[in-house]
Amino acid sequence: MRILIADDDPQILRALSITLGAHGYDVVTARDGREAIGAAASEHPDLIVLDLGMPELTGIEVIEAVRGWSTLPILVVSGRHDSGDKVDALDAGADDYVTKPFAVDELLARVRALTRRAAPTLDSPTARLGAVTIDLAAHLVLRRTSDTEEVVRLTPTEWRMLEVFAKNPNRLVTRELLLTEVWGPQYTTDTGYLRLYVSQLRKKLEPDAARPRYLLTEAGMGYRFSPDE
Amino acid sequence: MRILIADDDPQILRALSITLGAHGYDVVTARDGREAIGAAASEHPDLIVLDLGMPELTGIEVIEAVRGWSTLPILVVSGRHDSGDKVDALDAGADDYVTKPFAVDELLARVRALTRRAAPTLDSPTARLGAVTIDLAAHLVLRRTSDTEEVVRLTPTEWRMLEVFAKNPNRLVTRELLLTEVWGPQYTTDTGYLRLYVSQLRKKLEPDAARPRYLLTEAGMGYRFSPDE
DNA sequence: GCCCGGCGTGAGGAATGCGTGAGGATCGGC
DNA sequence: GCCGATCCTCACGCATTCCTCACGCCGGGC
């Protein structure tokens, strides 16, 4: 998830970059309006945090320029509290408007709300595993075989488990996390369930269940889910 | 464009209704949390303006209940300025959060921004299922038999159910979504209704009701509607 | 090479969920 | 108040899912 931060105040720019970066976002920055438009086009961000009071171009002009070719979410940050300014920015195409000074956790929550809302508009967030495609939102798993695409059916327990993996790609997923998320916090020692259901997931998702490529065992600790790219 | 306003203060409720009504919106109101959830399900609003401090249910509970089956935009209006409250509401699924007192023109601009963002909800006019054609807009289902086309008669409940399926092709349609859309949010555990009406829909739509091809069961979760292409 | 703990997988029974017929309750039109 | 259509309740047989148990495999320590 990549965020473009556009602000002419280097101090705010730095603070926001560090905060958003610490929360797992990939951060790109711009110092004036022209740079912001360029970065919005070339860096393919998933969201823009835009300061209104920048040199070169007004914030409204930046919004209108970006809206000329893109629908990506724009969160405006501004020192101006006047409701007229807010109306202008929102009607120009901004999705949200936060006034300075703002609480960082509120800004983060608004970023989450915007990315959540905008996500289905772009592409449904799918994970690819070779011939298998996972669409979490649609609860759909497809498997390409030679020339046809067939639906892979998962049981409720298999789904809950796959969801935990899909939300933690490329990271170690501990046995404890899996057990509490799928079976409940009182089952944290029943590792036999994990062996059973991981085995079934592999049969349905892996090209060769005996030699797993995407759902890997980390002996003694848990599992790691590594989708393509 | 229909808006549901949920607030326990009759004065605010009245003022908002008049303001939004004057700007061309169709307004529906609710005075407490339970009423809000019911109206969200039965009135099919395009947006909810939700006061957090209502009796019966907390605002967060209302948000979570609605998010259980719907993605319609929720704009929270609240007297609480604390950033923790904002984070909780946004993370529960709200799209925006405005603190009282607010400028009416700002609220209107935020309503426009949210409806603009949520707008791309185009539903497909027709679906094909082998010999059966479903025309949602015309409220018509046709079945080709050898040489003639006959109209398939559906009861109101069957039709409401088919609409939910037709609007979510190839996706898992949860039991909860079906029950709230067809019977109301207080019936979310009556899965017996689903079994009965799915059975009747299959008799009318499937070539062989005993071996369904288009209306598939996902045991423990819901159903999946897969029309041809 | 042998033991041993952790892991993978098959089989089968228990528990849960699903499909469907029949019949009674309810509602609206006349 | 009658009648048909629709909706709901109930019951039973079948299908799916979940869990238990058993056994075989693999790699590390000795």
Side-chain angles (χ1 to χ4, degrees), chain B residues 86-97:
Chain B
K86 299 184 187 178
V87 171
D88 290 343
L90 292 168
D91 280 344
D95 290 281
D96 202 347
Y97 190 111

Side-chain angles (χ1 to χ4, degrees), chain B residues 122-142:
Chain B
L122 50 122
D123 34 344
S124 58
T126 69
R128 292 210 320 103
L129 285 70
V132 175
T133 308
I134 298 166
D135 188 332
L136 265 196
H139 234 250
L140 188 66
V141 176
L142 292 174

Side-chain angles (χ1 to χ4, degrees), chain B:
Chain B
M1 190 61 68
R2 170 173 296 197
I3 295 185
L4 166 63
I5 307 174
D7 202 313
D8 61 324
D9 182 338
Q11 221 167 337
I12 294 180
L13 197 61
R14 189 158 162 279
L16 279 179
S17 298
I18 292 173
T19 307
L20 288 167
H23 282 81
Y25 295 103
D26 192 5
V27 174
V28 184
T29 60
R31 275 162 211 81
D32 62 53
R34 206 168 296 281
E35 218 178 298
I37 294 173
S42 62
E43 300 285 347
H44 296 281
D46 299 292
L47 183 143
I48 305 181
V49 175
L50 178 70
D51 178 34
L52 273 198
M54 285 190 298
E56 280 290 310
L57 288 171
T58 71
I60 300 289
E61 287 171 322
V62 175
I63 295 170
E64 284 171 348
V66 172
R67 279 289 173 267
W69 81 87
S70 171
T71 59
L72 88 168
I74 299 177
L75 195 166
V76 167
V77 173
S78 166
R80 315 189 61 158
H81 292 242
D82 191 54
S83 81
D85 292 319
K86 299 184 187 178
V87 171
D88 290 343
L90 292 168
D91 280 344
D95 290 281
D96 202 347
Y97 190 111
V98 175
T99 52
K100 300 179 187 175
F102 52 82
V104 172
D105 56 351
E106 178 188 341
L107 185 80
L108 284 165
R110 288 185 182 273
V111 165
R112 285 193 294 274
L114 284 177
T115 52
R116 180 191 340 123
R117 170 65 62 184
T121 320
L122 50 122
D123 34 344
S124 58
T126 69
R128 292 210 320 103
L129 285 70
V132 175
T133 308
I134 298 166
D135 188 332
L136 265 196
H139 234 250
L140 188 66
V141 176
L142 292 174
R143 166 170 232 148
R144 275 194 316 280
T145 55
S146 59
D147 57 343
T148 65
E149 266 200 339
E150 66 180 28
V151 176
V152 177
R153 290 178 54 92
L154 297 182
T155 71
T157 305
E158 288 165 2
W159 188 261
R160 283 202 298 276
M161 195 169 202
L162 180 59
E163 275 181 332
V164 178
F165 282 125
K167 286 177 181 168
N168 297 282
N170 292 314
R171 303 184 50 204
L172 173 70
V173 180
T174 63
R175 299 188 289 212
E176 189 185 9
L177 174 66
L178 280 168
L179 286 164
T180 55
E181 288 290 309
V182 178
W183 282 272
Q186 62 272 42
Y187 291 82
T188 47
T189 54
D190 280 296
T191 59
Y193 295 166
L194 296 182
R195 299 210 297 274
L196 181 59
Y197 279 89
V198 164
S199 171
Q200 294 184 180
L201 268 185
R202 280 175 178 154
K203 271 186 251 179
K204 297 186 178 184
L205 303 179
E206 293 276 358
D208 178 4
R211 275 187 302 279
R213 210 174 122 189
Y214 301 104
L215 201 43
L216 309 171
T217 305
E218 301 271 336
M221 299 186 289
Y223 295 88
R224 189 185 307 277
F225 178 67
S226 294
D228 291 331
E229 191 31 23

Side-chain angles (χ1 to χ4, degrees), chain A residues 53 82 99 124 147 160 179:
Chain A
D82 191 53
T99 52
S124 46
D147 57 344
R160 285 200 296 276
L179 286 163

Side-chain angles (χ1 to χ4, degrees), chain A residues 162-182:
Chain A
L162 179 59
E163 276 177 338
V164 178
F165 282 126
K167 286 173 184 169
N168 298 282
N170 297 311
R171 298 171 49 192
L172 171 69
V173 180
T174 63
R175 298 190 288 215
E176 190 185 2
L177 175 65
L178 279 168
L179 286 163
T180 56
E181 290 289 312
V182 178

